[in-house]
Structures are given as C-alpha cells and as structure tokens.
Amino acid sequence: MPDQKFSYLLRLADNATVLSQRLSEWCGKGPALEEDMALSNVALDLLGQARFWYSYAGEIEGAGRDEDAMAFLRDAHDFRNLLLVEQPNGTYADTLARQFYFDVWHFLLLQKLTASTDPRIAAVAEKSLKEVSYHARRSGDLVVRLGDGSEQSHAMMQAALDELWMYTGEMFQPDATDEAMAAQGIAPDLASLRAPWLKHVGEVFSEATLVLPPENAWMQKGGKQGVHTEHLGYLLAEMQFLQRAYPGATW
Amino acid sequence: MNKEWPLWEIFIRSQHGLAHKHVGSLHAPDAEMAINNARDVYTRRNEGVSIWAVKASDITASSPGDKEALFEPANSKVYRHPTFFPMPEEVKNL
C-alpha cells in the first residue's frame, strides 16, 4: 500500500516541519539567550528529521517531488500534521506545554518506529530518537521548573497545559492509515502509546505540582486528515512566501 | 527577590584523557538546567564527552592586584620553565 505509507510519512514530516516553523518564530525573541538557542536547536533538529521523511515520501510517491516541493508547495489542506503542533506560540508557558505534550509522544512513537519492518523508517527513527530524547527531557524539566516555581509561573503553566489538552487526543486515535501501517508492522498501534504517555506526563505533572486535566475530556481531531485550525494557513503563508513568490529560488 | 537566573561556568572535556576546560558561562535556574543549556549553547558541534557546570559564585578567584606576588617571581627563574627539554614528536597534548 504505497499510498498509505506515503500519507503516513507525510504525517511524520509535517509534524516536524510545522513545529519547527513555530519554534523558529521564537528565534531572537526568546525569554533568555539560553532558551532562544535551545528552541532554535530543537527547531533545527526537527527540520533535519522532516527532510528525511519528506525525501522518502517523495521517492515512494514517484512524482518527482523533492523535500522542498513537499514543504513549500503544498496547501494547508494537504498538510497532515497534528493540530497540536500548529497551535500558536502564545506565552512561553503555551510554547512549553505544546512542546512537552508533543515531545513525550514523539519519543514514544520513534522508539516504536525503530522496530519498524521498513528498514529506512527504522533507521531515521533511530537517528531522530537521540535528539528527541533530549527534547523530551528538556521540556519536561522546564515544565517542572515553571509548575513548581512562583505562583505566577505555576498558574500560567497549568492554564497552558489545560488549554492544549484537547489537542492531545488525536495523537492516540488511529484512522485507516494508522491501522494499515500497524497491520504491516511499519508503525506501532497508536492507541498503545497512550498509557505510557499518560504515565510519563502524569509523573512530570505531579513533580511539577500541576493537575492532570481529565482523561476523558472532549478532544479535537482532524489534522491528520487535513482539516486544520485557522492557524496553519497563516503559518504556511509566512513559511512558503519565498518559494511561492519566487519559484525555484535558491541561495 | 532576584529574578535573574544565577550564572554558571561551563567546563567541557573534549575527549577522554584530557582535563575539563572552561568554555564559557551561561544563566540557568539550577544545575540540571545549566547542563541542558550547556548542551545547547556549547556542544552543538561535537565538542566533548563530558560537561561540568559550576556556580560562578562558588569560584574563588585571585585578585588582579595580586598578580605580582603570584606570578612575577617565576619570571626571573628561567630554570623553572620547561623550555630546555626537547619533546618527542609522539607526546601530544602536553
């Protein structure tokens, strides 16, 4: 099923690309020099991963689209990223909440993908896992610092985590593509990631003196199928401007 | 209350067998985050195998005014300087 593997790879690539673009928006505006550099580094890591996934997706598609065509010449409804990663940066607490939820899931997913029956996916996952294990450690550490920090940082962190909670359900909800990938042993059963994710997130929350939002809360979905929030269009408009205005521009 | 994060001095060991070397400083709320930040600020180009973070306020430094007392006496005693020994090519990192 090359079509479904193509869709699946696009999801991996689009998650990384969109989150990378969001994090890059902090570049030069971070709350501290060290944080500015850290977020830019995470953004670069994700961009590197996106390139691997896009290249492979392009090869499977066989239509001659390279990684740039994938990233810069597709419209919002063609993107298959999670709604979580396209959410705006907001305050630093919002950015961290988004990062923490995603990092923990990303880590668990890549860990499983290293055992993929597709050797190329396994290899990229293995390489990415080293970076993502650091991302998860870093964002978790910061959630603890802010949650268990001042009264204000605690309140802001809790509010941000509550606000973004409804975008986490999509990470564990398999659709036909996910099921096809799982059946072929290419990707793990998404639902199986939920328990370890909740466990890890719950542990960090309790260390951070934060309260875990209700597990059965109503969840948003649609990103993986191309139904996005309004934010993605603006993000892509900025990200894709140069290639759209000056097709084929390089430097 | 001081809202600034404390300053940390960062030392990186570039390879096994060498000493940790001072590479610079950074701000971080605590030691763990100082290591994380050091990873981002100083080790993105394959610099080393180990990081130390030391609170800058825990370092006792000599005063520049003591320079003469501390370092001058050695200048007049050339025999203390190991410049008379030819070093074999094979000995590196000395």
Side-chain angles (χ1 to χ4, degrees), chain B residues 13-42:
Chain B
R13 183 158 73 184
S14 58
Q15 54 174 287
H16 289 292
L18 290 187
H20 283 76
K21 202 173 164 191
H22 185 239
V23 292
S25 49
L26 51 77
H27 289 93
D30 55 42
E32 210 178 349
M33 290 306 302
I35 296 277
N36 280 355
N37 288 347
R39 184 257 188 206
D40 280 313
V41 180
Y42 295 114

Side-chain angles (χ1 to χ4, degrees), chain A residues 24-101:
Chain A
S24 304
E25 290 171 11
W26 276 108
C27 187
K29 298 177 189 158
L33 174 73
E34 291 80 0
E35 282 303 312
D36 203 305
M37 293 188 69
L39 287 191
S40 304
N41 284 336
V42 174
L44 284 175
D45 287 346
L46 291 170
L47 199 61
Q49 295 169 18
R51 294 185 60 182
F52 285 117
W53 299 130
Y54 277 140
S55 298
Y56 190 22
E59 284 170 37
I60 288 179
E61 189 192 35
R65 286 204 283 180
D66 63 2
E67 53 195 70
D68 283 344
M70 296 285 182
F72 296 112
L73 300 175
R74 284 184 306 134
D75 291 329
H77 59 260
D78 294 326
F79 272 73
R80 293 289 179 269
N81 57 280
L82 297 164
L83 296 176
L84 176 68
V85 296
E86 72 198 40
Q87 297 310 304
N89 282 341
T91 66
Y92 203 65
D94 296 321
T95 292
L96 267 180
R98 185 185 63 203
Q99 196 64 33
F100 173 60
Y101 284 152

